[in-house]
Amino acid sequence: MLPSGKETSRRKGEQTTAGRAERGSHAGDGCSPCRVLVQGKALQGTPGEGLWLVAPAVRRLVFDPSRSRFPLLPLLAQPAQGERGCWSRQRRNHEEPSGSPPQNGRPRSQPGGSRCQMLALGRARARPGRLFPRSRRGAGSRPAPRSRSSARRPRQRKTLRPRAGPGLRRRVSMATPEAAAIGRKRKPAEGREGAGMAAVLPLLLLLAAAGPGRARRDALREELLLSPLPAGDVAATFQFRTRWDADLPRGAVSHYRLFPKALGRLVAALGVRELHLALTQGFWRTRAWGQPPLQAPAGAELWVWFQPTVTDVDKAWKELSNILSGIFCASLNFIDSTNTVTPTASFKPLGLANGTDHHLLRYAVLPREVVCTENLTPWKKLLPCGSKAGLAVLLKAERLFHSSYHSQAVHIRPICRDASCLAVSWELRQTLTVVFDTFSSGQGKKDWSLFKMFSRTLTDACPLASQSKVYVDISPKNKEKELLEVTPPPTSVHEAIVQGDERTYAVYDLLSPSLFNTSRSLNVQLKWKRPQDSSELPTPILHAQRYVSGYGLQTGEISTLIYNTHPYRAFPVILLETVPWYLRLYVHTLTIITKGKENKPSYIHYQPAQDRRRPHLLEMLIQLPANSVTKITIQFERALLKWTEYTPDPNHGFYISSSVLSALVPSVIAMKDVDVEQSPLFTSLFPSSDGSSYFMRLYTEPLLVNLPTPDFSMPYNVICLTCTVVAVCYGSFYNLLTRTFHVEEPSRGGLAKRLANIIRKFRGVPPL
Amino acid sequence: VTDVLTAVALYLAIQDFNKVVFKKQKLLIELDKYAPDVAELIQTPMEMHYIPLKVALFYLLNPYTVMSCVAKSTCAINNTVIAFFILATIKGSAFLSAVFLALATYQSLYPLTLFAPALLYLLQRQFIPIKLKSKSFWLYTMQYAALYLCSLVVIICLSFFLLNSWDFIPSVYGFILSVPDLTPNIGLFWYFFAEMFEHFSLFFVCVFQINVFFYTIPLAIKLKEHPVFFMFVQIAIISIFKSYPTVGDIALYMAFLPVWNHLYRFLRNIFILSCVLIVCSLLFPVLWHLWIYAGSANSNFYYAITLTFNIGQILLISDYFYAFLRREYYLAHGLHLTRQDGTEAMLVLK
């Protein structure tokens, strides 16, 4: 995963740590600093006095290497050239400003040994913050804002709910006496500076509480958007945004709070600037469901912008897809050069970017990928609260996959840290969209509730979240307001213009204490007051469909229909087609027809395929006139593959990935400039250039194409028969080449003839 | 247009070749090299007069030529270049022959093997004896090879300057040699490599490609007196065993068949073979349709037809080869061979 040099240095660091632990002056208590911390962390969870006894000691161990009672530590802290890896990181960890105490409850701040061991393990999933997220807070208590939570965390620990697993409690109780003993031992040793410490600690806490500007501003915002779709389904979109104020490419960052370490290290190690991964099951029916907040093509989609410093982009891409495949249990390792393209226009960086040199971009879609629980679980594990608290409680696999559409995505991008944009923060956006068919499962009624959909209800916000909201789309259709009612009454109502449409949202703020006052859980329900006449579905301004035509297994035609239903405005759209090499596109047959006339694209980028090496890439910028249908057709020929290149079910066909439509759709309603930081998350992934239009990315249906197949049972026969034919040629030519003509000489016959003649002689008959 | 050019070139070439053959015959008769009773084997000017026309018509009216012309195949261009190469060789122009051979090689690599018959013919024309010890033989071979290589290098460098990269060499010749494209055709390669086990595939690619080039040297030794027949056999072998054969290639060597009219009486199973070839040609589209469009047959049907077709071609060529050798033997030893006891003798290969 990482260069081996680092591995060895890490191993060295580990050894050094162990050695230090043995040689250290405190070796008498038989306890390496790492172990102290681990126990200290365990201790945090216990109610009682031990906590406050040990915590300062532990903090000093962590923060103050210069004053430490490990005489060897300063020596070792200046590592030899070869062993920088772990130690230098550790030092940086120590030298962090005092305003940002590594949360001593968070095992990520473990110094030395155990951290090194963790690094050496190299497991991407090593995110040992299990203990805390599993502890659930009481329903009534408010989570503190991020900057202050460090001071409050210990207190939160005390309010461990009895529901916390028995395993946890066992661990806690096991740790307690030992840790308390250490605390007692440590206390006299602390004596020298005990008084100073006592003074320093409150100061420290005060600093942490008062100076949010100096603290790390990692922040988690979670939100759930529930929107009834025109066709009677309900779409639920979860968005979790983790902000991380760290300069990744500059030096290795070792401190992970909310940002998942697996992804953080991946981004740092491979020079990733932006990463967008979506795993989708089903197809978002734009025509019936309206415009999606975030659509993804069926299967797996991955597109990545690399840093300009990355020299071998293809290698980094290969490595990245393999690692992601491990992280998400998806077959992303099947991404290779045959399905990777470098689009020139369709995919622009969504975050901060200096240049858009598209050679740093890689895009791949695996339309065959099946998404299921094994992909959801690692995705949930990336959340700071896991699926134990907050909105993620609703993510119950058996319900999520019993739906018409399921799409989970991870977007990592650099964003401005503040308005002045002098520093870079990293944003991890985890989104999950699911569409429930409530109409058919609810006996023809379109009413729904959280419990009906997810078979769970919300009980609290994620304690680490600075924002936790549920939005319900109650925008009136045809201006009749009293069509639907939501219970319980929302905390507030938010009006926004989303994708050129005025929307009204009922907002439930899970962080407001009033919400859980009346009942322990929140079960949002929506009831339609009278049956809605679903005769007329509003058609989205831009939608598209695609199909394959033709018969037989030799040639075919791909047709894409793009609809612009805007009444008076024309707008351009970028179409991206990626077609695997085994369909040979005939570019001269490309026709684009709008309203019976040929429509000449203003930009075409075509990269022909190479057999078994790269796919076709066709990008076009097409102007869509107002209120029109544009038909794009291109013919192709199907290739015969080697028998090992077919999928196990060859007659099922081969998938062609969705084509991508990117457009700035003119909005009917003028949009206000909104503060990106404050607006709901689902509005803010794509940049909006001005008020008059908004960005849309649509995906068409994936196609299924049959290829001619050889007979898979025949390899031996074919090899034998073909070789026979070659041998016939070889044999007859060999015969003619090596022999010459001779007059046949009368032979005396074979043995049989001679025997017969002997017998004939005896019988007195003339010989043969 | 190229087809007509090909036909004209072939016409002229064969006309010239006939003159040469006739002269040679006369010379040999005068020298009493032939056996006394072979008069009926000797070609007469009357018979030979129409042969060039027949060749041209055979090429132009061959359904295979028509098909490849309708399909706008580049094979016609390749055929033209080879026809010009034959013309230049028979006219005795070493330079032009080398240039056209280089062009043909540049296009599809396999005509490389035609170097040997061309060299033999030109040597014969210069009355240079083909002896490995003779100095003039080596000198002339060097000259011709240098001409050929120079023109090949010039062409390749030209395309390098056009493209500014060497990428075309692996994509053109690598494509021919490693057979990545398995689209069904009339050859043996596509289904064989579609069904091949991955780890044997390199081995078999090598074997099949060597097979094309393999026959050149033995044929050169055996047919060193008859380079034009050698050329015919070599073109036929290429068109059977090349990696992406087309019907246009078959049309080229079939155009030569009228030249060997005089072998007709020695062919053993020409009737069966022509039936096989005709039936296979008719079955190709039928089984293709059944497999690809109707879906009622599978690939094996079409594969079986390609096998039969290729066996037919192979047997046809080896039959002509057999007949040619046999006629040579008769010319040398007389038509009516008798055994020692005076009865009619049989000829056997030994």
Side-chain angles (χ1 to χ4, degrees), chain A residues 612 643 711 722 740 742 744, chain B residues 180 194-195 300 303 346 348 350:
Chain A
R612 297 180 180 86
W643 71 305
D711 187 340
T722 312
T740 48
H742 288 284
E744 188 191 34
Chain B
E195 293 272 1
N300 294 340
Y303 166 67
M346 295 284 286
V348 287
K350 249 179 197 172

Side-chain angles (χ1 to χ4, degrees), chain A residues 258-281:
Chain A
L258 300 176
F259 201 88
K261 186 176 180 179
L263 292 181
R265 291 190 49 198
L266 187 67
V267 168
L270 294 175
V272 174
R273 192 167 64 191
E274 257 185 47
L275 184 151
H276 301 271
L277 166 72
L279 298 166
T280 311
Q281 185 76 16

Side-chain angles (χ1 to χ4, degrees), chain A residues 592-599 622-623 625 628-631:
Chain A
I592 304 166
I593 290 174
T594 314
K595 292 180 170 171
K597 277 181 291 181
E598 193 180 341
N599 186 345
I622 305 168
Q623 187 75 19
S628 67
V629 185
T630 304
K631 185 174 185 183

Side-chain angles (χ1 to χ4, degrees), chain B residues 196-209:
Chain B
M196 178 51 65
F197 298 102
E198 207 56 50
H199 46 285
F200 290 131
S201 118
L202 180 66
F203 168 72
F204 275 104
V205 165
C206 295
V207 168
F208 271 54
Q209 296 293 0

Side-chain angles (χ1 to χ4, degrees), chain A residues 74 119 227 258 288 308 468 588 596 607 624 673 683 699 703 757 766:
Chain A
L119 282 173
S227 41
L258 300 176
S468 181
H588 67 276
Q607 192 187 37
L624 302 181
D673 251 355
T683 58
Y699 295 89
L703 298 177
N757 280 344

Side-chain angles (χ1 to χ4, degrees), chain A residues 388-452:
Chain A
K388 300 297 177 196
L391 297 175
V393 171
L394 299 178
L395 300 174
K396 198 177 170 190
E398 63 183 79
R399 301 297 304 168
L400 289 186
F401 292 103
H402 189 70
S403 57
S404 332
Y405 175 77
H406 170 97
S407 170
Q408 60 187 69
V410 172
H411 305 272
I412 300 176
R413 57 171 183 166
I415 53 169
C416 287
R417 191 166 293 184
D418 43 30
S420 59
C421 209
L422 291 172
V424 174
S425 301
W426 290 84
E427 183 196 70
L428 164 70
R429 226 174 243 261
Q430 288 180 261
T431 65
L432 188 143
T433 310
V434 62
V435 175
F436 292 102
D437 188 358
T438 47
F439 194 67
S440 62
S441 61
Q443 289 91 40
K445 283 186 196 165
K446 293 204 275 180
D447 306 341
W448 52 262
S449 70
L450 279 187
F451 188 77
K452 244 191 228 170

Side-chain angles (χ1 to χ4, degrees), chain A residues 551-555 581 584 611-612 637-645 708-723 725-726 728-746, chain B residues 180-184 188 190-198 204 208 211 214-215 218-219 222 233 237 241 288 291-293 298-300 303 307 310-311 314-315 317-318 321-322 325-326 329 337 339-340 345-350:
Chain A
Y551 75 104
L553 294 175
Q554 192 177 12
T555 55
W581 64 267
R584 306 204 161 109
D611 282 6
R612 297 180 180 86
E637 192 187 60
R638 300 157 214 245
L640 185 79
L641 306 182
K642 292 181 184 170
W643 71 305
T644 45
E645 287 169 336
T709 52
D711 187 340
F712 294 98
S713 58
M714 286 275 285
Y716 287 104
N717 305 354
V718 169
I719 292 169
C720 291
L721 290 172
T722 312
C723 288
V725 172
V726 175
V728 164
C729 179
Y730 179 81
S732 57
F733 272 85
Y734 181 81
N735 209 4
L736 290 168
L737 285 169
T738 52
R739 300 197 200 177
T740 48
F741 282 102
H742 288 284
V743 175
E744 188 191 34
E745 283 163 15
Chain B
D181 181 3
L182 303 173
T183 309
L188 295 168
W190 64 274
Y191 205 54
F192 187 69
F193 288 106
E195 293 272 1
M196 178 51 65
F197 298 102
E198 207 56 50
F204 275 104
F208 271 54
N211 184 41
F214 171 76
Y215 299 104
L219 281 174
K222 185 90 178 177
V233 174
I237 285 175
F241 288 116
W288 175 259
W291 173 27
I292 295 294
Y293 291 100
N298 70 5
S299 45
N300 294 340
Y303 166 67
L307 274 191
N310 280 303
I311 288 187
I314 289 166
L315 292 181
I317 298 308
S318 58
F321 191 24
Y322 170 82
L325 292 180
R326 188 156 170 180
Y329 184 83
L337 299 170
R339 281 190 213 155
Q340 281 121 348
M346 295 284 286
L347 261 187
V348 287
L349 278 170
K350 249 179 197 172

